């Protein structure tokens, strides 16, 4: 496979005359819950996250996705820098796992191995040795492949937070703890909210002359943000701020392909955001060709992701929200985040 080396922003074509691209429509209706991790009720979430019923549902997801998308839901583009290769692996109906390879030693790590067969196929095709699994959180669509891969790769260690019930966890990580795989160095950052023990992983790009790479799981998507199933708006805001502290050139590798849905929703909030309009048009083209939309950069995300723009007066005005006299700025931002989340949960892409 050919590798792509990112340079600058990946914005796509020039913005048009305004409005949504032809063929893209949003209907204000309650979500139908076609993705099990969308807001479909506390009872269902408890069953999915905490019982064997969740695992059985995950197995059904895997089976259906393999039948519907025998080659994956999207066409991924490997990214290469001197000494490192990042291979997105499209799994289930919209998830991404990532195989990160130290090309010098042939050692590799995988982030969130949802489907062990897809991940194993990538490992064999690349001819690498799997040394580590990094799990962002416990949900089956991010951790369901852990057991099968550990059985096949005896030296593989499973990393994640001890606060989440991550399958096959061997090496619990603390906030800011670093792990080395070959010449690759990953830093774990605690980002609770989606789950109590959610973590993201940052690959240090310095030794390879590349930007940092953020594997964000369900904390942050292109133009979107994960549901705070196990945290408050304040908790989620603090976790998003941790991610945004990494620098604008950081490459964002999210856990899901939600770009078109998230960008379309965001365009309904900020009607005059040219960066948002441009990115949406680019994403429409990408998805028409079934191409992956990742990575973006954190710098880009700040221009169009409403969940990262809670401090922006234009978004606050669009929501009809104003900071109260004497109100703490972060408390106000948490209120804004809560309102964006509420509105997002009322819409479904078609």
């Amino acid at each position: 496979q050919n590798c792509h080396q990112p340079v600058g922003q990946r914005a796509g074509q020039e913005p048009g005359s305004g409005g949504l691209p032809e063929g893209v429509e949003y209907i204000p209706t309650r979500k139908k819950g076609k993705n099990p991790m969308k807001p479909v009720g506390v009872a269902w979430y408890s069953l999915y996250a905490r019982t064997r019923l969740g695992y059985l549902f995950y197995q059904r997801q895997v089976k259906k996705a393999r039948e519907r998308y025998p080659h994956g839901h999207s066409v991924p583009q490997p990214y290469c820098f001197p000494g490192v290769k990042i291979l997105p692996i499209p799994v289930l109906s919209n998830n991404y796992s990532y195989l990160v390879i130290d090309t010098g030693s042939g050692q590799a790590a995988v982030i969130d191995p949802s489907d062990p067969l897809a991940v194993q196929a990538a490992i064999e095709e690349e001819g690498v040795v799997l040394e580590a699994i990094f799990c962002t959180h416990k949900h089956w669509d991010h951790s369901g492949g852990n057991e099968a891969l550990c059985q096949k790769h005896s030296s593989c260690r499973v990393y994640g937070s001890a606060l989440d019930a991550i399958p096959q966890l061997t090496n619990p990580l603390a906030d800011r703890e670093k792990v080395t795989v070959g010449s690759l160095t990953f830093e774990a950052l605690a980002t609770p909210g989606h789950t109590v023990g959610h973590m993201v992983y940052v690959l240090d790009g310095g030794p390879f002359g590349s930007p940092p790479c953020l594997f964000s799981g369900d904390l942050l998507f292109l133009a979107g943000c994960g549901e705070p199933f196990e945290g408050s708006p304040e908790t989620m805001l603090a976790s998003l701020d941790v991610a945004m502290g990494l620098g604008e050139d950081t490459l964002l590798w999210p856990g899901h392909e939600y770009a078109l849905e998230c960008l379309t929703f965001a365009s309904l909030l900020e009607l005059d955001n040219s960066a948002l309009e441009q990115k949406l048009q680019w994403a429409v083209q990408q998805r028409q060709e079934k191409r992956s939309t990742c990575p973006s950069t954190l710098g880009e995300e700040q221009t169009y992701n409403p969940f990262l723009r809670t401090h922006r007066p234009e978004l606050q005005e669009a929501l009809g929200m104003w900071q109260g006299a004497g109100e703490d700025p972060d408390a106000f931002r948490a209120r804004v985040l809560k309102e964006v989340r509420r509105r997002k949960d009322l819409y479904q892409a078609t």
Side-chain angles (χ1 to χ4, degrees):
Q1 291 177 303
N2 294 327
C3 278
H4 179 68
Q5 186 166 352
V7 287
Q9 294 192 352
R10 306 176 64 226
Q13 56 186 307
E14 290 300 313
S17 58
L20 300 182
E22 183 179 356
V24 177
E25 181 185 6
Y26 244 81
I27 298 177
T29 181
R30 284 285 179 181
K31 286 183 178 291
K32 301 299 190 295
K34 66 178 180 179
N35 182 329
M37 300 319 298
K38 294 293 177 71
V40 290
V42 174
W44 167 242
Y45 176 74
S46 296
L47 288 172
Y48 183 87
R50 299 185 176 95
T51 73
R52 181 165 175 78
L53 288 176
Y55 180 68
L56 295 175
F57 186 87
Y58 152 76
Q59 288 183 313
R60 180 171 175 267
Q61 279 185 293
V62 172
K63 182 176 182 295
K64 291 179 66 175
R66 287 173 181 170
E67 293 171 352
R68 184 176 180 184
Y69 307 110
H71 303 294
H73 57 74
S74 301
V75 179
Q77 178 65 63
Y79 272 62
C80 295
F81 304 97
V84 62
K85 180 177 183 178
I86 299 173
L87 178 62
I89 306 172
V91 290
L92 303 184
S93 61
N94 53 41
N95 283 71
Y96 285 112
S97 301
Y98 295 97
L99 187 65
V100 186
I101 303 169
D102 170 15
T103 57
S105 68
Q107 295 177 292
V110 66
I111 291 88
D112 287 353
S114 306
D115 183 345
L117 290 186
V119 173
Q120 180 60 30
I123 291 170
E124 293 177 1
E125 183 175 348
E126 296 295 329
V128 296
V129 178
L130 184 65
E131 296 289 353
I133 293 172
F134 292 102
C135 258
T136 59
H137 61 294
K138 63 190 175 186
H139 293 157
W140 291 113
D141 62 324
H142 292 258
S143 64
N146 290 5
E147 183 175 2
L149 289 171
C150 285
Q151 289 175 353
K152 196 163 188 67
H153 302 272
S154 58
S155 65
C156 182
R157 313 297 289 174
V158 179
Y159 298 87
S161 171
L163 299 178
D164 264 18
I166 293 175
Q168 309 300 123
L169 181 68
T170 60
N171 292 63
L173 294 175
D175 184 35
R176 307 283 174 176
E177 190 168 350
K178 294 183 179 181
V179 178
T180 299
V181 178
S183 61
L184 310 174
T185 300
F186 296 86
E187 183 177 12
L189 302 177
T191 51
H194 185 67
T195 65
V196 170
H198 193 286
M199 280 186 151
V200 299
Y201 299 96
V202 183
L203 173 65
D204 180 7
F208 314 105
S210 78
C213 291
L214 169 62
F215 299 94
S216 61
D218 281 1
L219 171 69
L220 188 61
F221 312 127
L222 193 156
C225 168
E227 287 277 355
F229 288 119
E230 300 180 11
S232 65
E234 291 79 8
T235 300
M236 185 61 83
L237 178 65
S239 292
L240 291 171
D241 284 347
V242 167
M244 294 314 298
L246 295 173
E248 293 187 355
D249 65 335
T250 301
L251 298 178
L252 173 64
W253 301 93
H256 291 269
E257 180 57 71
Y258 289 159
L260 191 55
E261 175 183 339
C262 291
L263 285 164
T264 308
F265 166 73
S267 72
L268 300 178
L269 296 181
E270 293 193 68
L271 302 179
D272 299 320
N273 186 327
S274 60
L276 172 55
E277 182 182 359
Q278 185 176 350
K279 191 70 175 183
L280 175 56
Q281 292 186 1
W282 173 82
V284 168
Q285 184 65 38
Q286 289 290 105
R287 297 311 298 154
Q288 284 176 345
E289 299 172 1
K290 300 299 182 185
R291 294 188 176 276
S292 170
T293 59
C294 58
S296 60
T297 69
L298 294 186
E300 274 189 279
E301 291 296 319
Q302 292 181 72
T303 68
Y304 53 65
N305 188 329
F307 295 95
L308 301 179
R309 292 171 60 79
T310 54
H311 62 294
R312 299 293 299 184
E314 51 266 52
L315 177 62
Q316 297 165 4
E317 182 178 349
L319 297 172
M321 300 182 70
W322 290 270
Q323 185 173 351
E327 184 177 15
D328 179 80
D330 285 341
F332 176 53
R333 290 177 59 217
R335 282 204 297 120
V336 174
L337 183 68
K338 182 178 180 180
E339 177 61 14
V340 174
R341 180 79 265 167
R342 185 188 72 82
R343 295 193 185 201
K344 177 66 170 64
D345 290 345
L346 292 177
Y347 286 84
Q348 178 177 340
T350 60

